[in-house]
């Protein structure tokens, strides 16, 4: 199996960090394990960096499919291959230390990779129109180049990255084992061929259909699956990983942090991570952790950088992305003002249409953006409705499941400024009802009267709408992640 097919899309350490690093007992345990913390060379961090806004903290989390130290045996590729990173997200912790936003950056996003330090001490030339995940491989070393990935994120966002954390295959499996597994639900059985589509035969059963708790290699297989679930796109997998992370946080929070749980969690966290020198000691980790301890699941928003397909790659959508970075730089809630005041009101406004609070709150797109939610038990309806809207010239910002799955009639919700657009959309769903709301986009909540035969069947993804399959197409509808 080629290295590209083996790369994983990790959920990383941040979910556990948000819950366990901030306890006093965990701090004492970290001090005992200080020798286990690895750091990367800071000499590669650019000297031409954005200034610190002085509000909030930005943490870059990278999932590496490292080839060394036992990772090849878990599917991390050939030992002689270079280090790669296919998953990355920027965690912004607001200055109130109670709210946070996780912004995923798709691996195939086209970016400018700035000059990065090479193993011989020289610096590479800047590269334009390069895939984002290529930044981690600059220098072609087995260990990868976290500093170059950090430089690239700062170039992309204009935000100063305060800390960078890298987690590999082995670290991920240890973390999921340490928490006692994570609850997931699959719509069908998953075989080896689903994970490795170029296999001649389907191979052995990896995961069975229905609700289950996964840890270790099973959890790794679950987050790696691309072709076997959903629409096969990397964007769709990101949405599933957001839900997985929310489930992880919910699990740890529900179990509580007893003394018996602290040592394995501390051991897993410290051995799983490679960090920048700013987090390179137990004392520094504990100090950082104390900033995170008040952040709770319902105050975490998971988003993906605004994007569109550009051929087989992903292009950042402007000015949507610029507004996102500006909001984070100013420590504002997405689309709002002060994080502490606005985050809660945003969550309350969105609860009627949200698949589960805290799981997905995407930045609204241009004035023509439409959010589509499945208010029925008909799998895949949101994705097919999104395709129909795209064919009529609308931009779909996201798809998902409504909080209620028993809608009889389709609702088209809109703000006053978008009434005319909402009326046009309603005509595409005969019998739909218009409903004014305060949100800054049009929301379609599909009802039972929209039969599958009236909505075009799904095709290969060509845009955000076609790849953003609803979270419940990948996760069973009766399993809550909020």
């Amino acid at each position: 199996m080629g290295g590209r097919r083996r790369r994983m899309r990790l959920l990383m350490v941040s979910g556990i960090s948000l819950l366990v690093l901030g306890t006093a007992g965990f701090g004492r345990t970290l001090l005992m394990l200080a020798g286990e913390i690895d750091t990367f060379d800071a000499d590669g961090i650019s000297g031409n960096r954005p200034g610190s806004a002085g509000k909030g903290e930005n943490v870059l989390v990278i999932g590496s499919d490292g080839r060394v130290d036992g990772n090849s045996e878990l599917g991390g590729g050939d030992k002689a291959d270079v280090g790669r990173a296919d998953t990355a997200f920027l965690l912004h912790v607001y200055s109130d230390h109670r709210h946070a936003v996780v912004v995923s950056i798709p691996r195939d996003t086209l970016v400018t990779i700035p000059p990065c330090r090479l193993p011989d001490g020289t610096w590479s030339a800047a590269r334009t129109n390069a895939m984002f995940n290529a930044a981690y491989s600059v220098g072609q070393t087995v260990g990868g180049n976290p500093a170059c990935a950090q430089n690239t994120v700062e170039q992309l966002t204009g935000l100063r990255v305060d800390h960078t954390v890298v987690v590999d295959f082995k670290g991920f499996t240890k973390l999921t084992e340490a928490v006692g597994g994570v609850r997931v639900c699959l719509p069908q059985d998953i075989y080896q061929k689903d994970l490795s589509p170029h296999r001649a035969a389907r191979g052995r059963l990896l995961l069975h259909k229905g609700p289950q708790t996964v840890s270790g290699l099973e959890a790794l297989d679950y987050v790696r699956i691309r072709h076997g679930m959903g629409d096969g796109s990397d964007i769709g997998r990101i949405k599933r990983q957001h839900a997985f992370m929310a489930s992880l946080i919910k699990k740890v929070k529900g179990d509580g942090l007893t003394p018996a749980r602290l040592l394995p969690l501390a051991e897993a966290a410290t051995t799983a991570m490679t960090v920048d020198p700013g987090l390179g000691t137990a004392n520094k980790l504990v100090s950082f952790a104390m900033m995170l301890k008040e952040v709770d699941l319902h105050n975490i928003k998971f988003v993906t950088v605004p994007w569109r397909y550009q051929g087989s790659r992903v292009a950042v959508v402007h000015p949507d992305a610029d507004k996102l970075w500006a909001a984070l730089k100013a420590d504002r809630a997405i689309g709002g003002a002060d994080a502490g005041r606005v985050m809660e009101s945003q969550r309350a406004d969105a609860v009627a249409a949200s698949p589960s609070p805290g799981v997905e709150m995407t930045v609204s797109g241009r004035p023509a953006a439409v959010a589509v939610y499945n208010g029925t038990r008909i799998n895949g309806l949101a994705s097919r409705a999104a395709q129909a809207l795209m064919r009529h010239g609308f931009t779909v910002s996201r798809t998902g499941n409504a909080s209620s799955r028993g809608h009889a009639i389709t609702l088209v919700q809109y703000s006053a400024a978008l009434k005319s657009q909402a009326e046009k959309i309603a005509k595409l769903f005969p019998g739909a009802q218009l409903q004014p709301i305060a949100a800054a986009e049009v929301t379609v909540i599909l009802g039972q009267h929209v039969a599958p035969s009236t909505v075009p069947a799904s095709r290969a993804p060509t845009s955000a709408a076609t790849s953003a399959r609803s979270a419940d197409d990948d996760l069973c509808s009766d399993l809550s992640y909020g």
Side-chain angles (χ1 to χ4, degrees):
M1 180 174 65
R4 181 181 180 87
R5 297 191 299 276
R6 279 189 293 251
R7 300 173 204 161
M8 78 174 289
R9 283 71 186 165
L10 285 173
L11 278 303
M12 265 56 79
V13 73
S14 67
I16 291 179
S17 298
L18 292 172
L19 291 163
V20 303
L21 288 178
T23 67
F26 190 84
R28 288 192 294 271
T29 308
L30 275 177
L31 289 173
M32 293 187 295
L33 298 171
E36 301 292 335
I37 303 171
D38 293 328
T39 60
F40 63 83
D41 188 357
D43 289 343
I45 296 176
S46 174
N48 182 24
R49 305 181 63 191
S52 175
K55 295 181 179 180
E57 293 267 351
N58 297 311
V59 183
L60 175 62
V61 185
I62 301 169
S64 167
D65 64 343
R67 271 61 172 174
V68 296
D69 197 21
N71 285 285
S72 292
E73 289 75 12
L74 295 172
D78 299 326
K79 292 182 180 180
D81 207 348
V82 300
R84 291 187 174 87
D86 279 352
T87 292
F89 60 78
L90 187 68
L91 169 69
H92 178 80
V93 181
Y94 286 92
S95 57
D96 69 353
H97 295 174
R98 296 182 59 248
H99 298 83
V101 173
V102 173
V103 183
S104 290
I105 305 172
R107 63 171 192 172
D108 292 342
T109 303
L110 296 174
V111 300
T112 295
I113 299 177
C116 291
R117 193 172 190 271
L118 300 173
D120 63 3
T122 63
W123 288 71
S124 65
R127 294 170 53 191
T128 60
N129 215 36
M131 288 200 304
F132 171 71
N133 68 334
Y136 192 81
S137 300
V138 168
Q140 300 292 294
T141 63
V142 172
N145 196 332
C148 186
Q150 177 176 317
N151 295 343
T152 303
V153 169
E154 291 189 337
Q155 170 89 17
L156 172 67
T157 66
L159 299 169
R160 189 179 185 93
V161 175
D162 298 290
H163 297 295
T164 293
V165 177
V166 180
V167 180
D168 59 18
F169 275 17
K170 190 169 69 172
F172 178 82
T173 59
K174 285 185 176 182
L175 287 167
T176 57
E177 289 170 348
V179 301
V182 178
R183 193 71 170 162
V184 301
C185 196
L186 288 91
Q188 74 272 334
D189 291 338
I190 299 297
Y191 294 86
Q192 286 178 300
K193 186 174 176 61
D194 296 318
L195 196 63
S196 307
H198 294 282
R199 287 180 59 97
R202 74 176 186 176
R204 63 181 175 85
L205 179 69
L206 298 178
L207 298 163
H208 62 80
K209 178 181 178 179
Q212 58 205 279
T213 298
V214 296
S215 65
L217 185 57
E218 284 189 340
L220 184 62
D221 287 340
Y222 177 84
V223 299
R224 289 178 64 202
I225 294 168
R226 173 176 176 177
H227 300 282
M229 287 202 299
D231 62 8
S233 75
D234 204 48
I235 303 295
R237 178 165 40 194
I238 286 174
K239 292 172 69 68
R240 184 169 68 251
Q241 291 172 351
H242 286 171
F244 183 95
M245 189 186 300
S247 183
L248 174 100
I249 297 173
K250 184 177 181 180
K251 170 66 162 55
V252 177
K253 194 74 172 180
D255 287 349
L257 297 174
T258 64
R261 291 183 179 275
L262 287 175
L263 183 59
L265 285 171
E267 289 176 335
T270 53
T271 59
M273 298 184 296
T274 299
V275 301
D276 68 275
L279 291 177
T281 68
N283 281 327
K284 290 177 180 177
L285 268 179
V286 172
S287 176
F288 172 66
M290 295 303 290
M291 178 190 70
L292 301 176
K293 68 176 183 176
E294 299 299 329
V295 181
D296 207 350
L297 174 60
H298 69 274
N299 289 330
I300 305 172
K301 307 304 175 189
F302 296 91
V303 309
T304 301
V305 60
W307 65 278
R308 61 176 174 81
Y309 276 118
Q310 183 168 311
S312 61
R313 305 305 181 201
V314 171
V316 176
V317 173
H318 300 283
D320 305 56
D322 305 309
K323 293 177 181 178
L324 169 61
W325 309 136
L328 298 184
K329 187 172 185 178
D331 208 44
R332 296 196 313 268
I334 296 173
D338 174 70
R341 293 196 309 270
V342 176
M343 279 287 200
E344 292 302 320
S345 62
Q346 280 190 337
R347 190 168 67 91
D349 290 342
V351 72
S354 175
S356 56
V359 171
E360 183 76 18
M361 176 71 92
T362 305
V363 180
S364 68
R366 295 185 176 92
V370 185
V372 182
Y373 293 108
N374 189 351
T376 77
R377 295 283 178 178
I378 303 171
N379 286 336
L381 195 61
S383 292
R384 296 199 293 273
Q387 285 190 3
L389 287 164
M390 286 290 296
R391 289 174 183 173
H392 285 82
F394 294 99
T395 299
V396 177
S397 61
R398 63 187 182 274
T399 62
N401 292 310
S403 57
S404 170
R405 305 298 297 278
H407 285 265
I409 301 298
T410 295
L411 295 177
V412 180
Q413 301 174 329
Y414 64 94
S415 64
L418 300 175
K419 183 178 181 180
S420 61
Q421 175 187 306
E423 290 173 340
K424 293 176 182 178
I425 291 172
K427 292 178 180 179
L428 300 178
F429 303 95
Q433 295 181 355
L434 291 164
Q435 183 181 68
I437 58 173
E441 67 181 352
V442 175
T443 297
V444 177
I445 303 177
L446 299 168
Q448 291 286 348
H449 81 288
V450 182
S453 61
T454 66
V455 181
S458 296
R459 297 180 180 176
T462 58
S463 68
T466 55
S467 68
R469 189 178 172 99
S470 80
D472 198 45
D473 292 334
D474 298 327
L475 300 168
C476 300
S477 59
D478 60 348
L479 190 59
S480 171
Y481 287 88

